[in-house]
Amino acid sequence: MIGITSYGGYIPRLRLNRMSIFQSMGWFAPAIVMVAQGERSFCNWDEDTVTMAVEASRDCLAGKDKSKVDAHYLCSTTLPFADRSCAGLVKTVLNLRDDIIAEDFSASLKCGTSALVTALDTVKGGEKRNILVTASDKREARAAYFYEMWFGDGAASLLVGDTDVIAEYKGSYSLSYDFVDHYRGSWNEYDYMWEERWVRDEGYSKIIPEAVTGLFDKLSISMDDVDKLVFPCFFKAEHRNIAKKLGAAPEKVVDNFHEACGETGSAHPFVMLVSALEKAKPGDRILMAGFGQGCDALYFQVTNNIESLPARKGISGCLENKKAVDNYPKFLKFRNLIKTEMGIRAEAPTQTAMSVLWRKRKMLMGLIGGKCTECGTPQFPKMDMCVNPDCNALNTQEDYEFADEPAFIKSFTGDLLAVSIDPPAVYGMIQFENGGRFMADFTDCELSDVQVGQQVSMVFRRRYADKERGFTGYFWKAVPLPGTAPIKEEKADIRFDDQVAIVTGAGAGLGRAYALELAQRGARVVVNDLGGARDGAGDGSKSPADRVVDEIKAAGGEAVANYDSVATPEGGRAIVDAAVKTFGRVDMVINNAGILRDKTLVKMEPENWDAVMDVHLKGAYNVTRPAFVRMRENGYGRIVLTSSAAGLYGNFGQTNYSAAKMGLVGFMNTLKLEGDKHNIRVNTVAPIAGTRLTEDVLPPDLFEKLTPEFVKPLVLYLCSEKCEENGMIFNAGMGYFNRVAIATGPGTVIGDGTQPPTVEDIHRNWDAINDFSVPKEFPNTTAAFGPMLDAFRPKKKDETPETKGKLSVGDIFKGIPKAFRADKAAGVDVVFQFDISGGEGGSWHVTIKDGTCEVTEGSAGSPTTTVKMGDDDFVKLITGELNAMSAFTSGMLKIEGDVMKSQLIEKLFKF
Ligand code: NAD
């Protein structure tokens, strides 16, 4: 079967209210009021026949394999080049194959239908299988003329082929007459029109019926076999009369779009046919005729395939996307019908280097950049080196098309100083979601509607006109898409797909922000919120949690609401159960629910103390405990606790809240040790944000600035697999982040550890006790005791600060054979691998077999046990300054492989 396999359309977004032409020029040409109904489409200043053809063709190729297109015919009477293949240009922009025919059909308004017949006959002949036929016109007329009213700009595209046919081609009939209703001499700017009455009576109303009846005879059909009749004729009454003459009932006649966009020249039969196909049902029979120096009539029957054609903008989509314009001088300026002063800057040279255009045609015309074959990062422009700093591979770039990639605005400006036909010039940085960015001009937008994060689509547009040399330069621009949700993130490589998060108190404030972003990044979220008052009073309400769940679902995410209170163990269990029952697991818990009951201590009644403790401190215990059990089973978990500056530093009137918030730090300090070996990380955030809790505390201007969005990124990072941090506290607010630590001063020794010092001793040594010149953090209690035990450890003979530590890591390994106790090695067959980090570090392995010991520098293939340590710590361990058990529990010593065999080390060597 041969026929149409796809269609596409393009009508520019700008529509001029025809009455505005009359309002400006009616004093001069009162008769134009007769056709001043509705709107006509007109190109933006940077659009022309070529750019519209590109858009219609892209629309037509949606869902089609471009590599299968064997020819491209571009049809127009208004091509921007009289001698340069515009079809070849459009073909390059569309990134069609090079080994195809790209040909312009021109010089008659029926060039579109003639090209279509040619294409269908070629496919029928078996020479080619898929041909893209695009018709596009931007016809010019002098100001205040009927034709300025009648004309519109537009394009439409049809793909013809022999597979997946949506409208079967049944046949055609063509007439060629040298009927000159209008013409444009090769040295003229505008068409010369002959008298309308003659054109109407001798042209349209005779030639179209002749072609249609010729087709009827040829195919032995009649108007009864036609469901939709498509033929352009901008004489409204004549359009109706011709249809009547042919015996077509009014409902069969497809609208000629005079009111919606005007007549789009050679594209109009296609525009009307596309509109008919958009509404067609399988079985519909469509007769289409194109007039101009004769007439082509074609007959199609719609097939079932029309129902599976992927969605596209089409003509109806373009007609909906309109910007009504009443500003007639703007229309005149855009069409270069009035001369304005453009300023000195407009005189900048615009010559195009044809050699560069040829060399970089893929980039400049096809918007082709590169994609690294090693790491998959796209980049624009294509270069020798991959831009991904973790890759930087050389010569690994393959071609990558950006034109249809989703992108959004990273930054933009409206520039009134730059030369522009439609100031201000709007341009900015656009970021492709999957990688790649560049500084682009924006078009088809108003500065006031542009937002950072807004999605854009790429369009091929005119950039400059080199009038002196008659050349038009094109490149790709970005169209901000109205109403699209701002994308705040670049391609999110921190994702939570397949993970399940619990966020407590997620119905509002900070928790809501965390939940929304987690869901946006792929997590399934339990949105817990009791919905109580700020002080925790009231029976609660389901609506805050429900609202957040609705928001998540509306954005395509997954979430479930939970209304239990964190303040009881049953509530905590129910929250975790909700996660497990709904989503099957728990990977993250953000303990965030919170209330306030501020009172100075004297007025702090036990119920206020307890209520705050219950929600914040016990709440974290209640939820984390059952979640921790699940995480341990899964060998993975991320827990975030919410502290506060009030707890870390103190705040008047908040003893309850401060105690609870600091209590959470203690909770974390121990939980981090319990979770460590199960890959469960627990960290704490101390946020500052404008929410219900702070609305009467923060000054209004600060409240506005301190949105929860600024805290959210840190908390989400702490929840991610990428975060290896454990037991840390962070302040976060307004984009300022820092780490908080509990640190210990170097302190001092009073006495010898056998006699307790006196109160007076303490007083005398007060400054030394207070010394905080070299604060130190400790990972756990054992490590924190280290300096105390060290202070009273008996010094070795001859040990002075100078001799201490003189032994190097290398010395130790050299000395190992000497320290080896062969008598203890009977039956021992092990390889100990030592990976020592630090300046003196390196890798050694010690092989013990058959009572012998061999030390070799480097890594063993498959060691029995691997010991990992810092160089200083290793020296201290060997020299007895560091206890092996405390080194192990504090994390200074890491043992991998057969941990039990590591105990042999003490037995086998005597240092
Ligand atoms: P918020 O009031 O907007 O949100 C807290 C949410 O917790 C509320 O929706 C509330 O209904 C819910 N909640 C209260 N008790 C609950 C319970 N028993 N069970 C379940 N949900 C309960 O306040 P926010 O500022 O977003 O607070 C979030 C967390 O951040 C709190 O822990 C708070 O103490 C802490 N914090 C906030 C700030 C700040 O500047 N906003 C500063 C430091 C700490």
Side-chain angles (χ1 to χ4, degrees), residues 125-361:
E127 269 302 300
K128 311 214 176 292
R129 298 195 61 187
N130 296 288
I131 301 179
L132 179 68
V133 188
T134 304
S136 174
D137 249 329
K138 179 191 177 193
R139 299 179 75 195
E140 301 298 353
R142 287 196 179 85
Y145 191 20
F146 283 110
Y147 289 89
E148 184 185 49
M149 292 281 195
W150 277 320
F151 290 169
D153 302 331
S157 193
L158 299 166
L159 187 64
V160 302
D162 58 4
T163 26
D164 299 333
V165 169
I166 58 163
E168 186 185 0
Y169 175 54
K170 299 281 194 183
S172 68
Y173 182 82
S174 292
L175 292 171
S176 285
Y177 291 127
D178 187 28
F179 178 79
V180 190
D181 58 330
H182 75 277
Y183 68 91
R184 190 165 71 252
S186 51
W187 55 86
N188 285 83
E189 213 173 323
Y190 300 103
D191 292 356
Y192 183 80
M193 313 292 190
W194 202 249
E195 198 209 337
E196 283 137 31
R197 196 166 46 91
W198 178 75
V199 172
R200 211 174 52 209
D201 297 347
E202 289 301 309
Y204 281 88
S205 59
K206 284 195 178 154
I207 296 174
I208 294 175
E210 187 187 343
V212 173
T213 44
L215 182 64
F216 283 168
D217 290 347
K218 185 176 168 185
L219 300 180
S220 305
I221 54 167
S222 69
M223 195 44 84
D224 292 343
D225 302 301
V226 175
D227 299 302
K228 301 273 168 211
L229 179 62
V230 170
F231 70 97
C233 175
F234 49 80
F235 303 110
K236 221 171 163 185
E238 206 55 35
H239 192 233
R240 277 196 307 269
N241 290 341
I242 293 171
K244 205 167 157 195
K245 203 166 167 180
L246 286 167
E251 59 276 11
K252 289 192 179 180
V253 185
V254 172
D255 182 19
N256 71 356
F257 291 123
H258 172 73
E259 264 81 15
C261 67
E263 222 226 32
T264 59
S266 64
H268 216 54
F270 282 30
V271 167
M272 291 171 70
L273 177 66
V274 168
S275 140
L277 288 170
E278 283 170 352
K279 297 179 204 120
K281 300 179 303 298
D284 280 357
R285 294 151 305 171
I286 303 176
L287 193 146
M288 165 209 216
F291 171 82
Q293 270 95 64
C295 185
D296 300 306
L298 298 89
Y299 187 54
F300 297 98
Q301 182 157 26
V302 176
T303 73
N304 289 333
N305 290 331
I306 197 136
E307 290 180 336
S308 40
L309 200 67
R312 65 210 48 231
K313 266 198 224 120
I315 293 298
S316 53
C318 291
L319 288 176
E320 269 167 34
N321 174 33
K322 77 165 181 183
K323 171 151 178 67
V325 177
D326 281 333
N327 186 342
Y328 179 55
K330 189 166 192 170
F331 167 83
L332 294 177
K333 175 67 196 157
F334 280 15
R335 299 187 94 81
N336 209 19
L337 284 163
I338 44 172
K339 300 273 172 250
T340 52
E341 175 54 55
M342 295 300 286
I344 292 173
R345 286 169 191 233
E347 291 165 20
T350 49
Q351 188 181 16
T352 305
M354 300 304 157
S355 44
V356 177
L357 181 60
W358 167 246
R359 214 171 40 244
K360 301 203 173 216
R361 61 189 184 283

Side-chain angles (χ1 to χ4, degrees), residues 8-216:
Y10 182 73
I11 304 291
R13 159 186 102 115
L14 300 179
R15 308 295 149 74
L16 182 68
N17 179 351
R18 288 197 180 94
M19 198 47 87
S20 69
I21 307 181
F22 176 75
Q23 275 160 356
S24 300
M25 297 304 292
W27 60 273
F28 168 77
I32 59 174
V33 75
M34 287 190 294
V35 286
Q37 317 83 25
E39 298 166 330
R40 61 152 295 170
S41 58
F42 72 103
C43 283
N44 202 341
W45 68 268
D46 57 358
E47 293 184 285
D48 66 9
T49 308
V50 161
T51 66
M52 290 192 295
V54 168
E55 286 311 306
S57 305
R58 288 173 75 192
D59 198 37
C60 181
L61 291 171
K64 293 282 168 191
D65 182 353
K66 287 198 289 185
S67 70
K68 299 236 164 83
V69 175
D70 303 314
H72 175 225
Y73 301 160
L74 177 60
C75 319
S76 174
T77 61
T78 53
L79 293 169
F81 292 92
D83 187 352
R84 175 189 179 188
S85 166
C86 291
L89 195 168
V90 172
K91 166 253 147 201
T92 310
V93 176
L94 297 173
N95 295 312
L96 301 183
R97 281 189 350 251
D98 287 332
D99 63 335
I100 66 167
I101 283 195
E103 206 43 64
D104 294 338
F105 283 66
S106 189
S108 155
L109 283 188
K110 71 169 174 58
C111 62
T113 46
S114 296
L116 184 59
V117 172
T118 311
L120 288 160
D121 288 346
T122 309
V123 174
K124 205 173 178 181
E127 269 302 300
K128 311 214 176 292
R129 298 195 61 187
N130 296 288
I131 301 179
L132 179 68
V133 188
T134 304
S136 174
D137 249 329
K138 179 191 177 193
R139 299 179 75 195
E140 301 298 353
R142 287 196 179 85
Y145 191 20
F146 283 110
Y147 289 89
E148 184 185 49
M149 292 281 195
W150 277 320
F151 290 169
D153 302 331
S157 193
L158 299 166
L159 187 64
V160 302
D162 58 4
T163 26
D164 299 333
V165 169
I166 58 163
E168 186 185 0
Y169 175 54
K170 299 281 194 183
S172 68
Y173 182 82
S174 292
L175 292 171
S176 285
Y177 291 127
D178 187 28
F179 178 79
V180 190
D181 58 330
H182 75 277
Y183 68 91
R184 190 165 71 252
S186 51
W187 55 86
N188 285 83
E189 213 173 323
Y190 300 103
D191 292 356
Y192 183 80
M193 313 292 190
W194 202 249
E195 198 209 337
E196 283 137 31
R197 196 166 46 91
W198 178 75
V199 172
R200 211 174 52 209
D201 297 347
E202 289 301 309
Y204 281 88
S205 59
K206 284 195 178 154
I207 296 174
I208 294 175
E210 187 187 343
V212 173
T213 44
L215 182 64
F216 283 168

Side-chain angles (χ1 to χ4, degrees), residues 505 510 528-529 565-566 592 616 657 661 687 689 691-694:
L510 288 157
N528 158 263
D529 205 297
S565 171
V566 299
N592 166 80
H616 291 276
Y657 183 70
K661 289 302 196 190
T691 67
R692 181 176 72 162
L693 287 193
T694 48

Side-chain angles (χ1 to χ4, degrees), residues 412-418 423-427 447:
F412 69 97
T413 187
D415 188 342
L416 277 165
L417 293 178
V426 186
Y427 52 88
L447 177 62

Side-chain angles (χ1 to χ4, degrees), residues 447-467:
L447 177 62
S448 52
D449 298 336
V450 179
Q451 301 179 55
V452 168
Q454 193 175 8
Q455 291 168 34
V456 296
S457 67
M458 303 310 295
V459 290
F460 186 72
R461 290 291 170 98
R462 279 168 46 171
R463 278 215 78 215
Y464 58 86
D466 181 351
K467 293 214 180 83

Side-chain angles (χ1 to χ4, degrees), residues 515-715:
L516 292 178
E517 180 81 18
L518 279 165
Q520 198 179 332
R521 288 173 180 261
R524 287 166 290 164
V525 187
V526 175
V527 176
N528 158 263
D529 205 297
L530 178 73
R534 183 183 188 240
D535 64 359
D539 293 339
S541 149
K542 293 183 172 183
S543 49
D546 286 343
R547 269 197 301 270
V548 175
V549 169
D550 288 347
E551 274 185 84
I552 290 175
K553 287 187 175 165
E558 276 188 76
V560 65
N562 171 281
Y563 322 103
D564 287 296
S565 171
V566 299
T568 64
E570 303 77 54
R573 265 198 306 275
I575 295 166
V576 175
D577 283 351
V580 177
K581 263 196 208 127
T582 322
F583 301 125
R585 54 187 292 128
V586 184
D587 300 283
M588 299 160 257
V589 173
I590 303 179
N591 288 291
N592 166 80
I595 57 166
L596 281 183
R597 293 205 179 180
D598 296 354
K599 296 242 183 304
T600 55
L601 184 65
V602 175
K603 295 183 187 155
M604 180 74 70
E605 298 301 334
E607 73 253 27
N608 293 332
W609 177 271
D610 290 342
V612 166
M613 286 291 165
D614 285 351
V615 174
H616 291 276
L617 186 54
K618 269 178 75 182
Y621 157 80
N622 290 333
V623 181
T624 306
R625 184 167 173 246
F628 191 87
V629 174
R630 298 283 171 175
M631 290 176 177
R632 215 176 44 169
E633 283 164 12
N634 298 339
Y636 179 83
R638 295 290 181 265
I639 297 164
V640 177
L641 302 164
T642 308
S643 183
S644 165
L648 299 173
Y649 312 111
N651 200 27
F652 193 89
Q654 292 195 312
T655 47
N656 52 355
Y657 183 70
S658 304
K661 289 302 196 190
M662 204 54 185
L664 288 164
V665 172
F667 179 70
M668 170 191 76
N669 282 339
T670 290
L671 194 61
K672 73 177 182 195
L673 303 175
E674 295 180 12
D676 193 34
K677 63 173 178 286
H678 305 290
N679 193 14
I680 301 172
R681 308 278 178 257
V682 48
N683 292 286
T684 299
V685 63
I688 170 95
T691 67
R692 181 176 72 162
L693 287 193
T694 48
E695 63 195 344
D696 58 356
V697 186
L698 293 168
D701 58 331
L702 205 55
F703 184 85
E704 294 289 308
K705 286 185 199 160
L706 285 164
T707 69
E709 311 304 318
F710 285 101
V711 178
K712 173 184 80 178
L714 178 105
V715 172

